[in-house]
Amino acid sequence: MKETAGVTSTDTGLEGAVWNVVGQIYTPKLHSDNAMIWHAVVPADTFVPPHVHPTQDEWILVVEGNLEVDFGYEEGNVKPNKAGPGDLIRMPMGLAHGVFNRSGAEAKCVFGVAPSRKIYDLFCALDGVTEPEELVRISALHEVDFLPPPPEA
């Protein structure tokens, strides 16, 4: 897929797409073979369970509010990393991470992955899915592997 020149406006996603993924609202802003970028509204007390992108690097730029990203699942020593407005969270491919909004207030951020691989199709498939088992099954088909959620999630 070749990226086209232009502007994706604040209130729209590519081709009008907006997805509800585990209670978070994702609006795609850029999609090419090389990368995908989406805006996310992350309500208080929501999270993306621990997972691994074996084929992609991922980033989160916090625009508003606060997020925590937990690392250390591989060693059994999970530690939250707090991020606020202007902070960039880096999640290299193959590293398990969970994304949490434990702040009590909504957060807004911009996510990115490179290369894009199957992530656009994953979000299309996950839009509105509420059953955790189905989320895990669909994600595995799109190169995202979930770990069991932590007890404190």
Side-chain angles (χ1 to χ4, degrees):
M1 158 181 294
K2 182 177 174 163
E3 178 62 29
T4 58
V7 174
T8 307
S9 68
T10 299
D11 56 347
T12 61
L14 295 173
E15 300 175 1
V18 177
W19 304 300
N20 183 326
V21 179
V22 296
Q24 301 176 9
I25 304 303
Y26 293 171
T27 306
K29 297 296 182 177
L30 175 140
H31 180 221
S32 72
D33 290 338
N34 297 319
M36 183 169 153
I37 297 173
W38 64 98
H39 181 270
V41 177
V42 183
D45 306 317
T46 63
F47 64 98
V48 179
H51 62 283
V52 175
H53 298 259
T55 60
Q56 298 167 305
D57 291 323
E58 183 176 19
W59 305 270
I60 304 171
L61 176 64
V62 179
V63 176
E64 237 176 72
N66 296 281
L67 292 178
E68 292 182 18
V69 177
D70 294 353
F71 299 110
Y73 293 97
E74 292 85 354
E75 301 85 28
N77 186 21
V78 178
K79 293 185 179 172
N81 293 266
K82 297 181 180 192
D87 292 340
L88 180 73
I89 303 161
R90 302 175 314 277
M91 298 158 286
M93 75 175 67
L95 180 67
H97 57 279
V99 181
F100 300 85
N101 182 348
R102 299 175 175 128
S103 71
E106 180 180 271
K108 294 181 180 176
C109 54
V110 176
F111 281 77
V113 296
S116 62
R117 309 273 307 169
K118 299 180 180 181
I119 199 94
Y120 189 95
D121 293 337
L122 171 61
F123 291 152
C124 288
L126 288 180
D127 185 28
V129 171
T130 57
E131 294 297 320
E133 297 81 14
E134 186 65 359
L135 178 136
V136 169
R137 184 191 73 76
I138 292 169
S139 296
L141 298 173
H142 294 85
E143 301 177 323
V144 176
D145 302 319
F146 278 88
L147 283 61
E152 71 280 356

